[in-house]
Amino acid sequence: MAIRNPSAPATLWSGAKTGAFHLVAGVLAVLFLFPLLWAVLNSLKSPTEANASPPTFLPSSLSLGNYETLGKFGAGIAAYTGNSLLVALVTVGGTVIISVLAGYGFSRYEFRGKNLTFVTILAILMVPYATMLLPLYLLLGVLGLQDSLIGLGLVLVMFQLPFGVLIMRNAFDSIPRELEEAAFLDGAGAFGALRHVSLRIVTPGVVTVGLFAFLASWNEFLAPLIFLNTGDKFTLPLMLVSVREGTFGQIDFGALQAGIVVAMVPCVVLYLVLNRYYVTGLLNGALRG
């Protein structure tokens, strides 16, 4: 007489749920990756085929003609990429340094008005983004930083600080104070304990803040549109809009797709390289009360 295994239905049901989950996840992955694949394939078509109507999915032959066209547009794709990179470096550097120091101060020290100051910093997130651009434009004029990539980077630092300070304060709160006290007993000062002990533990939070700052500055469109007037100082998003406007109303879709790929590659590479730190930083920082 066969003995019936009571756990068999549960095992089958668990396997079915796992299979359904993988199926849904696979379908969603294809849907999200399809636009990226479409942009890459269109950028590798010949200029004539890329602008054909109706469009084709696969290129009949691989061509770098769209990238050559993009390289000759305006000041050249290298110049616009360099402008975006400079703005991103200023934004990331300023955001990370200020967020780390401010987050450490809010986490480890008690001072009058601490909670009010912290809430005031977070309140910037509730102010409509566009309403602050005109006052900032006038302020940059007073400082002599209008139409400046450095000035644009400083403006973007301000917009990234609330999130960065929140992440870093919560990241430092998760570190036992005993570790720093041990460093104090060994003769280290506040900055020594921060540099040699705490900062190494909150590396995922630092990476998360830097990654968010880079993605925000690299893809920013409205602020460069307001603060930059000279065409040679345009960033990649502004350059792509110029390509999209075309000549006499004719859009070069191949060059536009090539520009999208150029702008997309650094973001994808950084996310894939830093993904482990990014996820850990969010879990240990933003999601910690």
Side-chain angles (χ1 to χ4, degrees):
M1 180 177 180
I3 301 177
R4 185 177 180 182
N5 185 2
S7 63
T11 303
L12 292 176
W13 173 244
S14 177
K17 288 195 298 183
T18 302
F21 172 80
H22 288 140
L23 177 61
V24 173
V27 171
L28 291 176
V30 170
L31 290 177
F32 279 104
L33 291 176
F34 179 78
L36 306 182
L37 178 62
W38 177 267
V40 172
L41 292 176
N42 278 336
S43 70
L44 295 175
K45 296 177 182 178
S46 64
T48 302
E49 185 179 5
N51 292 282
S53 181
T56 58
F57 179 67
L58 295 175
S60 58
S61 61
L62 299 181
S63 171
L64 297 178
N66 294 315
Y67 291 94
E68 295 175 358
T69 301
L70 191 67
K72 299 175 183 178
F73 182 85
I77 186 63
Y80 298 120
T81 303
N83 294 339
S84 289
L85 183 60
L86 176 58
V87 173
L89 290 177
V90 172
T91 305
V92 171
T95 302
V96 168
I97 292 174
I98 298 176
S99 296
V100 167
L101 296 177
Y104 186 76
F106 280 116
S107 174
R108 290 295 187 258
Y109 297 99
E110 296 295 333
F111 51 90
R112 181 177 299 178
K114 170 183 173 180
N115 293 332
L116 178 60
T117 304
F118 184 72
V119 171
T120 302
I121 293 175
L122 295 184
I124 298 177
L125 295 173
M126 296 181 285
V127 179
Y129 177 75
T131 61
M132 293 187 285
L133 293 180
L134 180 56
L136 289 173
Y137 183 83
L138 298 177
L139 178 61
L140 290 184
V142 174
L143 298 176
L145 291 175
Q146 284 185 355
D147 196 25
S148 166
L149 296 174
I150 301 297
L152 173 61
L154 295 177
V155 169
L156 296 178
V157 168
M158 187 205 73
F159 289 124
Q160 294 302 310
L161 280 181
F163 174 78
V165 173
L166 174 64
I167 289 289
M168 294 314 305
R169 191 206 67 167
N170 291 343
F172 283 118
D173 281 345
S174 66
I175 301 176
R177 293 177 180 267
E178 289 76 10
L179 295 177
E180 294 176 353
E181 293 174 356
F184 293 150
L185 293 177
D186 291 337
F191 282 99
L194 171 62
R195 177 184 176 185
H196 297 291
V197 179
S198 301
L199 198 57
R200 297 184 179 182
I201 300 176
V202 299
T203 296
V206 175
V207 172
T208 300
V209 172
L211 183 59
F212 267 81
F214 177 85
L215 295 178
S217 60
W218 185 264
N219 297 310
E220 178 61 33
F221 171 74
L222 184 57
L225 180 65
I226 299 297
F227 296 114
L228 298 179
N229 303 319
T230 305
D232 291 347
K233 294 182 180 180
F234 281 0
T235 56
L236 274 176
L238 291 183
M239 183 273 291
L240 292 178
V241 171
S242 300
V243 173
R244 182 180 179 276
E245 291 176 352
T247 304
F248 300 111
Q250 295 182 352
I251 303 175
D252 190 340
F253 288 101
L256 180 60
Q257 295 292 341
I260 292 174
V261 172
V262 172
M264 176 180 63
V265 167
C267 300
V268 174
V269 171
L270 277 179
Y271 177 78
L272 293 178
V273 172
L274 303 176
N275 178 59
R276 176 168 60 92
Y277 296 100
Y278 163 75
V279 174
T280 305
L282 282 180
L283 292 176
N284 293 340
L287 302 182
R288 184 179 179 86

